[in-house]
């Protein structure tokens, strides 16, 4: 596990394999960092809920590293949070199987097309009718992130080789969303 | 089934106390278990057993006129909300057999999202909650 040097506006930054314990460790770091910077509790809670969903998505996708460790030197999972005048930016990156891209892209595009009320409706129908995936996901993570964020989810897929691409996901928690209480 | 179920809280999982003689159920703390289905299984089984007992033993309906459920959660991840709904759905079955289900949803007054999570669950299961903002 390798920690990157924190810039002035970087709340948290991590690169390396993610597991349940490391996520716990990163969540504790967030608490320390937001306390040290006097970030309001209401901001902390919003960052926390997006951070958990975004990291759990990466974590649930971890398994294939066992047979693709060659990806590691240049394409390890990463995560960081930046604070700016516009709000907070949470970014995750991880390798993904090319064959899974289309499904993921469809899912995010569907969520991005919805307004606040649409997201609420989708959350409720998924909560009621959704099934757990084999990876233990309830299909609610992206909807939850979009609800908190109030902005579109920004994503990209950069090809690595014929099997994998590097997937980046950016969630903005804007000042608008932070003051919407 | 046992009269009581007690699951101690951890850094990642909530405290759960079910006490049949006091007619009280409590969920308190944070919830992002590594294996969410496994973590909630004992609570779900306990409630399923209770539901079956009430359904098959008529006198149980009179000895348990009501159940008081308290949620004092500070955070739960989206996968946990699915399990909480499953728990509430069993409570609704118990309610349909005539047991009054009283649900109190406590949340940090600054945490609008936790209030909304309560409303989402209440709507999804179609049982009214009583909301209690806790001043922070």
């Amino acid at each position: 596990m390798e920690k990157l040097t924190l810039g002035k506006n970087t709340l948290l930054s991590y690169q390396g394999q993610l597991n349940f314990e490391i996520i716990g460790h990163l969540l504790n770091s967030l608490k320390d960092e937001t306390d040290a910077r006097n970030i309001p509790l209401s901001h902390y809670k919003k960052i926390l809920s997006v951070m958990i969903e975004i990291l759990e998505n990466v974590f649930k996708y971890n398994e294939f590293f066992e047979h693709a460790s060659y990806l590691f030197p240049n394409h390890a999972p990463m995560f960081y949070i930046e604070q700016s005048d516009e709000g907070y930016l949470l970014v995750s990156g991880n390798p993904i199987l090319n064959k899974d891209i289309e499904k993921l892209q469809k899912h995010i595009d569907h969520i991005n097309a919805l307004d606040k009320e649409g997201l609420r409706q989708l959350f409720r129908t998924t909560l009621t009718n959704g099934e757990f995936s084999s990876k233990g996901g309830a299909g609610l993570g992206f909807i939850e992130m979009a609800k908190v964020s109030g902005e579109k989810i920004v994503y990209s897929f950069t090809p690595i080789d014929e099997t994998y691409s590097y997937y980046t996901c950016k969630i903005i928690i804007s000042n608008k969303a932070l003051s919407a209480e | 089934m046992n009269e009581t179920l007690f699951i101690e809280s951890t850094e990642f999982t909530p405290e759960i106390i079910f006490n049949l003689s006091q007619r009280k159920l409590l969920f308190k703390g944070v919830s992002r278990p590594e294996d969410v289905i496994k973590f909630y299984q004992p609570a779900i089984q306990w409630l399923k057993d209770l539901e079956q007992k009430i359904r098959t033993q008529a006198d149980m309906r009179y000895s348990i006129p009501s159940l008081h459920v308290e949620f004092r959660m500070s955070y739960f991840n989206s996968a946990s909300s699915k399990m909480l709904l499953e728990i509430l759905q069993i409570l609704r079955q118990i309610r349909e057999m005539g047991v009054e289900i009283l649900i109190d949803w406590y949340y940090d007054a600054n945490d609008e999202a936790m209030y909304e999570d309560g409303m989402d669950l209440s709507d999804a299961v179609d049982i009214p909650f009583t909301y209690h903002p806790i001043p922070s």
Side-chain angles (χ1 to χ4, degrees), chain B residues 23-37:
Chain B
R23 330 232 183 289
K24 274 189 178 169
L25 314 181
L26 169 74
F27 299 84
K28 186 181 178 184
V30 299
S31 181
R32 51 167 216 96
E34 183 160 16
D35 185 337
V36 69
I37 297 171

Side-chain angles (χ1 to χ4, degrees), chain B residues 51-108:
Chain B
E51 189 271 335
Q52 196 188 354
K53 224 169 152 179
I54 295 172
R55 185 155 36 86
T56 54
Q57 302 173 26
D59 59 312
M60 283 288 283
R61 267 167 260 172
Y62 300 97
S63 61
I64 309 173
S66 65
L67 275 175
H68 186 190
V69 191
E70 257 183 51
F71 288 96
R72 293 177 176 273
M73 301 299 294
S74 57
Y75 172 77
F76 53 88
N77 65 1
S78 60
S80 297
S81 56
K82 189 103 187 103
M83 300 313 291
L84 295 181
L85 179 64
E86 195 169 330
I87 284 164
L88 288 163
Q89 282 166 337
I90 305 169
L91 288 168
R92 184 176 57 189
Q93 290 169 7
I94 293 174
R95 185 178 187 239
E96 281 162 5
M97 292 182 293
V99 178
E100 190 179 13
I101 303 290
L102 303 161
I103 299 179
D104 284 307
W105 186 267
Y106 292 86
Y107 64 98
D108 183 333

